[in-house]
Amino acid sequence: MRPAIFPLLPDAGCLLLLLVSWLFNPTRSEITSLDSGNIDDILNNADVALVNFYADWCRFSQMLHPIFEEASNVIKEEYPDKNQVVFARVDCDQHSDIAQRYRISKYPTLKLFRNGMMMKREYRGQRSVTAIADYIRQQKSNPIREVQDLEEISSLDRSRRNIVGYFEQKDSDNYRTFERVANILHDDCVFLSAFGAISKPERFSGDNVIYKPPGENAPDMVYLGSLTNFDLIYAWTQDKCVPLVREITFENGEELTEEGLPFLILFHMKDDLESLEKFQQEVARQLISEKGTINFLHADCDKFRHPLLHIQKTPADCPVIAIDSFRHMYVFPDFSDLSVPGKLKQFVLDLHSGKLHREFHHGPDPTDVAPGQPIQDLASSPPESSFQKLAPSEHRYTLLREKDEL
């Protein structure tokens, strides 16, 4: 059967034809329907599960149904064991408790689970049989590269974040825990392993796991906890693989905007690593307590010229620091003030308090005006959000609510 690919906005006749074909397709697959009584059992026993959170009245959900089922048919031929790969669905109108549990804000949403654990990154690729099937094949591939010589470790790409495990045996609890972690975080780090005689020079006191951070001269970091304690090694690895300051690209922009947190962004030239390092250091020094209230990001000035133009800047002005609240953009006055104690933190606190918004519309707060100086109402209009445009599109999803940001 030739895989179907829906156009972005199909006409009524095309959509009707596809739905009729789906309803009367004799090879129609049985997608597992999840409810509060079976969801935990089914997901916990599935190596990989792709779950479609949908609503029957949503036209995008209707368009996805036949594609999702055909992709399930393709994959089940390759992975016949029912627990290897599960294609499942949740009717969010009928099971609103499940939709709330997984924070569903748009239909359809395709979330990936591994042994019951929801992955942070949902499926956002093309809605076609081929694309979805390829995505599952990728998820089933081995996320760990086995090295045959320790010389391979010395020639690693040090622009990447590398996690290397040294084990006596592959058939061991230590390695199985390492493998679980790699399955979850393989998009964020490169995972490698060595066994037996090859790994022996690195196993001074038994199996161990080492983090090799970016940078040729960056020192290695050794995991010191139990290798069979999944929670401990996962937390340690996640801390190393997911940096405090992440890069925003056009590929991950939708995912980052959907997190719902304002952006604190450093715009810098790609080869200006010195400014990036300063920004990372000051974020760690001044703003670690704000993690969870704002996303710390950096962006390539050349790729993101349009947001810079929004704040009347060009790549020639970089490095530039700005906040995008998803309603407006605010510029940090001077990059050279970055290292002034508390300056960057106050910029973020002024966003949360509404001060940035007030001052853009009405001029400085009275408390910021020198004694005896007249207070003027300097009405202005801050630039509109630029990164909001990267959020999930109403041409692809039915969005359930609008976010109200400063």
Side-chain angles (χ1 to χ4, degrees), residues 22-23 28-40 42-43 49-56 61-62 64-70 72 76 86-95 98-99 102 104 107-111 113:
W22 170 59
L23 289 170
R28 181 180 174 188
S29 168
E30 286 299 323
I31 303 297
T32 303
S33 294
L34 301 178
D35 55 41
S36 57
N38 68 4
I39 185 168
D40 291 327
I42 290 174
L43 295 184
L50 187 63
V51 182
N52 175 18
F53 293 85
Y54 72 97
D56 277 332
S61 295
Q62 295 166 2
L64 179 61
H65 282 319
I67 290 177
F68 195 68
E69 292 201 347
E70 189 176 341
S72 173
K76 283 183 178 179
V86 170
F87 277 70
R89 61 186 173 197
V90 175
D91 183 334
C92 293
D93 280 342
Q94 296 293 322
H95 304 288
I98 298 178
Y102 293 109
I104 303 302
Y107 302 136
T109 293
L110 295 178
K111 288 190 174 289
F113 294 78

Side-chain angles (χ1 to χ4, degrees), residues 13 17 25 85 205 286 300 318 391:
L17 179 62
N25 184 354
V85 179
S205 56
Q286 299 186 39
D300 185 326
C318 290

